[in-house]
Amino acid sequence: MKYIKLLRFDLSEGLLKKYKTYIIFAVLIIITFFDCRVRCVIDNVRYSYGEYLMYIFGGSRRYEIELSSPFNLPYLWLLIHILILYFTLNYSPSDLSGHGQQTIYRTGSRLAWWLSKCSWQIITVAAYYAVSWIVLLLLSLIDNADITTTVTHQVFIRIPPGATRIMPETADLSIQLMFMPFLFTASMGLLQLTLCLIVKPIFAYIISALVCISSSYAQSPLLFGNYAMAIRNDNVISDGMNTTVGIISMLTLSVLCITAGALRFRRYDILSKEE
Amino acid sequence: MLRNEIKRAVFSKMFLFALALMSVFAVLSSIYYIEIGSDYNPGYVERGDNIGDVSGDVYSPDFPTHSLYSAWLGGDVQTLAYTAFFFLFPIGTALPFSWSFYIEQKSGYIKNVLTRTSKNKYYLAKTSAVFISGALVALVPYIINLLMVSSFIPYYYTWAGYIFYNRIYFGAIWSDIFYSNPALHMFLFVLLNTLYGGLYSLISYAISFYSKNILVILITPFIGTLAIGYFEELYYSAHSDIIARYEFDPTRFLHSRSIHFNQNPWVISAITLIIVCFVIGTVWFKGKKYEIY
């Protein structure tokens, strides 16, 4: 009951009252839609809903070290994840240094407060993704695009040289395009939330940013961002990342973060908490 | 006042952390190049087939691509270390002292200072200290990197024939200097990076006049730079007829090589001017209006 009340409060304060950040995010998605639309006119192809999703959440092709080809940052992919992580960074630490202390004192349950914050983190990230999916869906409908999650053109132009494309033309990539990016951002958000109990939020954010950029640079099962890139999935290329392994890894990370945070928060000195 | 501010900026945990963070990337980049350099034997190449005759000496055009001028942090276009260095450049340089004005307002420290000295002196000292702290965080990793790389990897004169490996194209800023005096080219880019280290720190400092949230102060320049990088790509994809494409993203034009597009001196000057105007304008106008009570 305490948990439900706390979560309701968190959703009101940390989700509904932060509506401006959702507007900013929606504007970014609208811009990327038109960016993608321009490219599809240039390439003379008809895009589907899945193609737009692939353009935004698909990630970048695997980088092969070569003297003549420098590593280019996947700006859009990084911007999406880093922006959500930035929007969700400050709420819990500022709550704890403000009225959160009173809340914990009055409810008498640190565990309920922590679980409420973890749930808030997951729901908030889901809300950002829901905004992007809905905005893209509406724009796709207006644009008369096919509402399917099959992708052909975006895979074709992004596939690394030498990699074997294995995805059949009609394969459904909805899990790779919608669920996996969400799961990655949510698990990174939980990691960030837990790290905020150990270090200052800015350092937690730097760690998250480093995980994102390392993932875009190297294809490794330990760099979870790879699972959030559909273009590196084993349904698309032959030596890609496995979806099931990705789900298990990121869920394990999330559970570990929640547990470690709960244990840490039991003896956490909330009175000396300062910005 | 100035000495006191600089002392507070430089002898702090945040400064050391920022310095350590950026230096780690510089060291990792140098280790990578020293490691691959150890596999590369110039003597072997000298006797090999790939020999061109440049200025009358037996000379392989491969040499410059493996010399110090390609292996230093500004010439590195391959490693994760260099990517992380430039990616985190806006946060790393803001960490040491750009937040100090906000903290001093919050704690009330500023009241003690401004009742004892003039506003102008305070802002001048604060701005200088913020700039110096950011500039040092950019400069010191370069010095460490250059010392390490130059201890193991030899100098070789650059060769314009390998333009695609050098990635310094005609029309890029100081490209002619690179092919005539590469050491000067390196020095100029270190100087540009040092300047931008200070400028990024000052952007965060200027934001502290508008925002009362330390995370907004520290992270906004980073997100802004990332957004500029994306909008640059968006702009050029929408204007595919533009042939001369230039970098607008500071973290990309700070790199001595053309990672994606060319670095144009006028674009760099314009962006620098915009940043300087924003910082001076904010500190001048907002600072003048600022009331301590």
Side-chain angles (χ1 to χ4, degrees), chain B residues 127-139:
Chain B
T127 309
S128 308
V130 169
F131 180 85
I132 290 167
S133 64
L136 283 175
V137 168
L139 175 66

Side-chain angles (χ1 to χ4, degrees), chain A residues 134-147:
Chain A
I134 293 165
V135 168
L136 273 184
L137 185 67
L138 289 174
L139 290 168
S140 300
L141 284 169
I142 294 166
D143 194 40
N144 227 2
D146 295 334
I147 308 301

